[in-house]
Amino acid sequence: MTNSMTLPAISSFDSLDQYLRAIKSFPVLSAEEELKLATRLKKYNDLEAAKTLVVSHLRLVASIARNYAGYGLPQADLIQEGNIGLMKAVRRFDPDRGVRLVSFAMHWIKAEIHEYIVRNWRLVKVATTKAQRKLFFNLRSMKKGQTASLHSDEVAHIARELNVKPEEVLEMEARMSGHEISLEGNADDDNEDMFSPISYLQASHAEPSEILEAQEADQLHTTGLSTALAKLDDRSRRIVEARWLQEGHNATLHDLAEEFGVSAERIRQIEQKAMKQMRGFLTLA
């Protein structure tokens, strides 16, 4: 897609301000217009439809990129990386899921910007594991403008939420206020998941996965729920009920990991499989 369409490149403008003014001229699409364009792209690989979807969201990329100015990297580069994420999002966008592109695209825009930061920011050494990269971005966001060290309760809470050890939280905090060292990971490691930007995104409350999960939760409360639940094995049923159907506070992956004596990642895998099975049951109902 990127090789076959011409998009407004920042380098073609005299200044970043001129680029920002230019992208504001592109109209915002209505839900109906977006659906038609996305459907044309999905069914007919219509690159003009893809281009319209991309340019109408360029201002979103610029807005997101501004939130990463504190890393000391050129704003134009952050925007350019975010634009790459936007184009990936447009290519992967499924109009049949009932989610607006703006919500889905945020995921990919942030992912590309995060990856760019990890490749280029050299003030902090970040390990190559998913948990530690997620820890890096969450800690830096939390401590923005804050010089005081974390309290023990804060350390314990972050460790639980991110599924890391308290010592790792303390070590990362120390690195963030320490001397300049390399940020690069192990370039020889060919484990794609370990370097996947999706695995270390910031707070996910506005991410497409969160939106889709909320929609799935609503569906589970409709006709056929009891039947679908009854078809699950005991452990899967317990996990779905604890995660989605409890009144008040729903259980976290960490809570259920402790209950069943497995990792939080294993609970997530069981939950995803169970939700897929239930969607199939509900469709057949």
Side-chain angles (χ1 to χ4, degrees):
M1 181 175 71
T2 56
N3 293 331
S4 302
M5 70 166 67
T6 302
L7 297 175
I10 300 176
S11 58
S12 63
F13 293 86
D14 293 334
S15 67
L16 178 59
D17 287 340
Q18 189 180 67
Y19 169 82
L20 295 175
R21 287 194 298 270
I23 63 176
K24 288 181 180 179
S25 66
F26 296 113
V28 177
L29 300 175
S30 67
E32 293 76 15
E33 291 170 330
E34 180 178 291
L35 178 60
K36 289 179 181 178
L37 290 166
T39 301
R40 280 165 46 191
L41 174 60
K42 180 181 178 182
K43 289 185 176 180
Y44 308 112
N45 195 32
D46 188 332
L47 295 185
E48 282 302 313
K51 178 179 178 180
T52 303
L53 289 169
V54 169
V55 298
S56 66
H57 289 80
L58 290 176
R59 71 189 72 186
L60 171 66
V61 176
S63 176
I64 292 174
R66 280 198 297 270
N67 296 325
Y68 297 90
Y71 289 92
L73 296 170
Q75 189 71 12
D77 290 348
L78 293 172
I79 292 174
Q80 194 63 44
E81 294 297 319
N83 286 346
I84 294 173
L86 173 60
M87 287 187 281
K88 289 183 178 180
V90 168
R91 173 56 74 189
R92 291 165 173 80
F93 183 58
D94 184 353
D96 297 328
R97 293 302 296 269
V99 178
R100 289 297 301 271
L101 176 58
V102 65
S103 298
F104 182 77
M106 289 175 66
H107 170 94
W108 293 94
I109 294 166
K110 291 180 180 179
E112 290 297 323
I113 293 175
H114 285 180
E115 181 66 17
Y116 175 74
I117 291 170
V118 169
R119 289 197 311 266
N120 293 278
W121 200 52
R122 297 176 180 274
L123 295 179
V124 177
K125 179 179 183 295
V126 180
T128 57
T129 65
K130 295 178 182 179
Q132 287 179 324
R133 289 192 172 205
K134 184 176 181 180
L135 173 59
F136 165 63
F137 280 103
N138 278 274
L139 259 186
R140 192 176 190 284
S141 176
M142 175 181 176
K143 290 182 68 62
K144 187 175 183 180
Q146 176 184 332
T147 57
S149 298
L150 295 172
H151 298 301
S152 58
D153 290 344
E154 293 174 322
V155 171
H157 172 73
I158 293 172
R160 285 196 303 272
E161 289 299 312
L162 302 182
N163 195 30
V164 297
K165 298 177 181 179
E167 306 89 81
E168 291 179 284
V169 177
L170 292 172
E171 181 182 2
M172 185 64 72
E173 183 187 24
R175 287 174 176 176
M176 291 177 69
S177 58
H179 299 290
E180 178 173 331
I181 48 182
S182 173
L183 181 77
E184 303 297 331
N186 183 0
D188 297 328
D189 198 319
D190 59 1
N191 184 342
E192 183 175 335
D193 288 339
M194 183 170 289
F195 292 92
S196 173
I198 299 173
S199 65
Y200 53 85
L201 291 174
Q202 288 177 310
S204 59
H205 64 275
E207 304 297 346
S209 58
E210 200 73 10
I211 295 170
L212 295 178
E213 286 175 358
Q215 292 177 340
E216 288 169 350
D218 290 339
Q219 184 184 16
L220 289 179
H221 284 285
T222 61
T223 305
L225 172 61
S226 297
T227 301
L229 280 171
K231 293 181 180 180
L232 297 176
D233 61 82
D234 291 343
R235 182 170 65 171
S236 297
R237 182 166 59 252
R238 163 61 184 154
I239 290 173
V240 171
E241 290 176 339
R243 289 277 289 157
W244 298 100
L245 304 176
Q246 285 188 166
E247 292 295 334
H249 176 68
N250 289 329
T252 65
L253 295 176
H254 184 79
D255 294 335
L256 292 167
E258 290 186 348
E259 178 178 333
F260 288 101
V262 297
S263 67
E265 173 62 18
R266 179 57 183 153
I267 295 296
R268 186 190 65 80
Q269 292 171 353
I270 295 172
E271 177 191 29
Q272 286 187 335
K273 181 179 179 181
M275 295 293 281
K276 182 177 180 180
Q277 290 175 328
M278 292 190 70
R279 283 196 297 271
F281 298 149
L282 290 168
T283 300
L284 295 174

